[in-house]
Amino acid sequence: MHSTRIHNVIDQSISFFRCIGIWHGEDMPTIVQLRLKSLYCLYYILFPISFAIGATSTETVDESVFLAEASILTGVSTIRIWMLLWKQKEIMGLLNRICVFSIRNDEDFAFFNDKVEKFVKFAIFFAWAAIVGSLGNTSFPFVGNRKSIIVDIAFPLDWKNSEIGFWFAYIFFVSENVATFLAMAFSVIIWYLLLQCSLRYKILGMEIRSMGRATGGGKVKISKEERCATFYRDLVASIENHLHLRRLIDELDEFLSTLFLLQFATSAFCICGSIYCLAFATSVNFVKRVVHAYALFYSISELFLITYLGNEILLSSGRLTYSLFECEWVEQPNSTNKCIIIFGEYLKQSHEMLIGKLYPLTLETFMRILNSSYSLFNILKNTKH
């Protein structure tokens, strides 16, 4: 029997949140921590507002499209930061109940660890890519003869003609970029939770397949009655684990439903805006084109990851019926086989996460959003011509 735990990288992220004061310990947050959380929220709201005002005041359509897209992306990031700051109890509860459980077999435990480690390597790569992208944004003003921010944000001071105004706007832009890392960190936690749900279904399928079999390395001779009793005990445990896991995933679905619904509603426009800027932007600046390409990559990858992991939950839960068929059910008494038949009928219904009780969290939804973004792109292209 092995016990899983929250991965060290996620634990270190949680410790970092507590170090900077946005999360608190087991006790209630202090007045200082509440004020700091409110300050984080109010300050970051200025970021999408500056993009939105800049989109309405800019002179070119291409820049307006990009700033509107950036305003939507940072608006969604604002929701993530708000949830990270004010939903600590719910997040920690989901992490502890979803990521901490027991695995009986050594092979299943090795399979679980391998999948989690691969995900952690990807998360570290994602973090470094975000840091490099942010450094590129912050170093852009110092490339060339004229100091300028990479996007035409709105700012109370005239940062284009005033040295003092430029430095205030630059500090604002850099600090908001740093605050965006909190939203990205919360995205990684969401992916980690979805991955754990899909892996738990796969582990459950492995345990259902091996019901009644000895988990030790040696071969121990036991009677048929003892094997049947062991099988029935494992069957009851698998049924309880399945019901418990469905409740946990439904709770996670309810917690993330509003965020995912907002992301579904805005992703098509963000992808369309990035493609439009890459195709028709009049700017020949290489760095700006890299920013457009990164915005396109970020919008697609963020949407793809949550739909892919939701699709994995659907597929891994759908395979449980075949795992039940592969177990040693032939030698079991009729009373046990009746339970197996009822359990098998229940397992035929795959676990599909529904966002807003309307949109399934599957790759099919991902393709629909891509098709919608292509349709929007055609409308913008026809308008330009």
Side-chain angles (χ1 to χ4, degrees), residues 81-309:
I81 291 177
W82 180 85
M83 293 179 68
L84 180 67
L85 293 176
W86 300 104
K87 299 291 184 179
Q88 174 188 343
K89 184 177 179 181
E90 291 85 347
I91 295 170
M92 285 305 303
L94 289 169
L95 282 171
N96 288 323
R97 283 180 287 135
I98 291 177
C99 305
V100 180
F101 61 101
S102 299
I103 301 177
R104 289 184 300 187
N105 298 328
D106 297 338
E107 296 82 1
D108 301 348
F109 187 67
F111 167 81
F112 174 83
N113 284 334
D114 179 65
K115 294 294 184 181
V116 172
E117 289 300 328
K118 288 180 179 178
F119 169 80
V120 170
K121 290 179 181 178
F122 166 77
I124 293 174
F125 170 78
F126 173 80
W128 279 110
I131 292 172
V132 170
S134 178
L135 290 176
N137 287 339
T138 55
S139 60
F140 175 79
F142 308 103
V143 178
N145 298 325
R146 183 173 178 270
K147 292 181 180 179
S148 175
I149 300 176
I150 198 168
V151 290
D152 193 9
I153 61 172
F155 197 73
L157 302 178
D158 185 11
W159 60 269
K160 294 181 180 179
N161 301 313
S162 169
E163 183 75 13
I164 296 177
F166 167 78
W167 284 110
F168 273 108
Y170 177 74
I171 293 171
F172 168 77
F173 184 74
V174 172
S175 60
E176 293 287 10
N177 269 278
V178 173
T180 305
F181 290 152
L182 294 178
M184 294 182 177
F186 184 51
S187 294
V188 173
I189 293 176
I190 292 172
W191 302 340
Y192 181 70
L193 287 169
L194 292 173
L195 174 72
Q196 290 281 335
C197 292
S198 66
L199 288 179
R200 286 193 65 166
Y201 265 128
K202 292 177 181 178
I203 296 298
L204 179 60
M206 296 175 182
E207 291 181 348
I208 290 175
R209 196 179 301 121
S210 62
M211 286 189 302
R213 300 172 187 171
T215 57
K219 294 183 178 179
V220 181
K221 292 184 178 180
I222 58 176
S223 63
K224 182 179 179 180
E225 289 76 12
E226 290 176 334
R227 286 200 305 270
C228 291
T230 302
F231 183 95
Y232 183 77
R233 185 171 61 249
D234 293 343
L235 175 62
V236 172
S238 297
I239 294 173
E240 291 176 349
N241 290 337
H242 181 260
L243 293 174
H244 178 64
L245 182 55
R246 285 192 71 96
R247 285 194 294 268
L248 286 178
I249 297 177
D250 287 339
E251 185 178 345
L252 178 65
D253 187 6
E254 183 179 358
F255 178 69
L256 298 175
S257 182
T258 302
L259 176 62
F260 285 169
L261 186 61
L262 179 63
Q263 198 162 339
F264 284 177
T266 58
S267 292
F269 179 80
C270 292
I271 295 171
C272 166
S274 297
I275 297 175
Y276 178 86
C277 291
L278 285 171
F280 300 111
T282 57
S283 173
V284 295
N285 191 295
F286 174 75
V287 179
K288 282 194 174 183
R289 289 194 173 275
V290 171
V291 171
H292 294 328
Y294 177 77
L296 176 62
F297 169 76
Y298 177 79
S299 299
I300 294 178
S301 59
E302 180 81 26
L303 180 65
F304 173 77
L305 277 169
I306 61 173
T307 51
Y308 171 77
L309 293 171

